[in-house]
Amino acid sequence: QVQLVESGGGLVQPGGSLRLSCAASGNFFVINTMAWYRQAPGKERDLVTTITRGGSINYADSVKGRFTISRDNAKNTVYLQMNSLKPEDTAVYYCNAKALVLGMERDYWGQGTQVTVSS
């Protein structure tokens, strides 16, 4: 099993910044792609950004230029630096990891962390 523990959410004013972290632990061979998703009230869970083990990155258009994903493979941790936050960024943010476990790649999710952007 793989456990993902997120931290760093909270309340911030528009234009502010937050940094989310997600640490993976458990019995796995390697963590491949890691990602952040978000889900606003009454809406579906949407992909925000992904990063491969080798460092290839993709962003949703809505966050390009404002959010930065990074990872530390030695710590099995992924980060999301969020700048110039807008009220529409308000959501529960979920960490996702594709881990190689017993020869198969499996999906794992964190518990979610609330980000609220409001004045």
Side-chain angles (χ1 to χ4, degrees):
Q1 286 285 15
V2 177
Q3 294 79 43
L4 300 177
V5 178
E6 300 146 345
S7 60
L11 173 64
V12 64
Q13 292 186 342
S17 298
L18 281 175
R19 188 186 192 219
L20 307 183
S21 299
C22 172
S25 63
N27 295 317
F28 54 87
F29 180 69
V30 69
I31 301 289
N32 291 323
T33 298
M34 302 187 81
W36 289 96
Y37 287 72
R38 66 186 181 185
Q39 187 167 20
K43 295 188 177 181
E44 294 185 352
R45 189 173 298 188
D46 292 328
L47 178 63
V48 176
T49 179
T50 64
I51 183 168
T52 67
R53 185 169 182 81
S56 295
I57 293 171
N58 283 291
Y59 295 102
D61 288 344
S62 58
V63 305
K64 282 181 180 177
R66 300 188 298 121
F67 289 12
T68 302
I69 190 171
S70 61
R71 67 187 285 174
D72 184 334
N73 289 333
K75 296 181 179 179
N76 293 308
T77 300
V78 64
Y79 306 96
L80 183 63
Q81 178 66 43
M82 304 185 292
N83 298 328
S84 302
L85 282 161
K86 306 175 181 179
E88 51 263 45
D89 294 318
T90 296
V92 178
Y93 283 70
Y94 295 92
C95 174
N96 172 270
K98 297 187 185 302
L100 193 60
V101 178
L102 299 177
M104 292 182 60
E105 187 175 81
R106 304 168 191 262
D107 260 324
Y108 295 91
W109 293 90
Q111 79 284 0
T113 185
Q114 177 70 47
V115 171
T116 302
V117 184
S118 175
S119 55

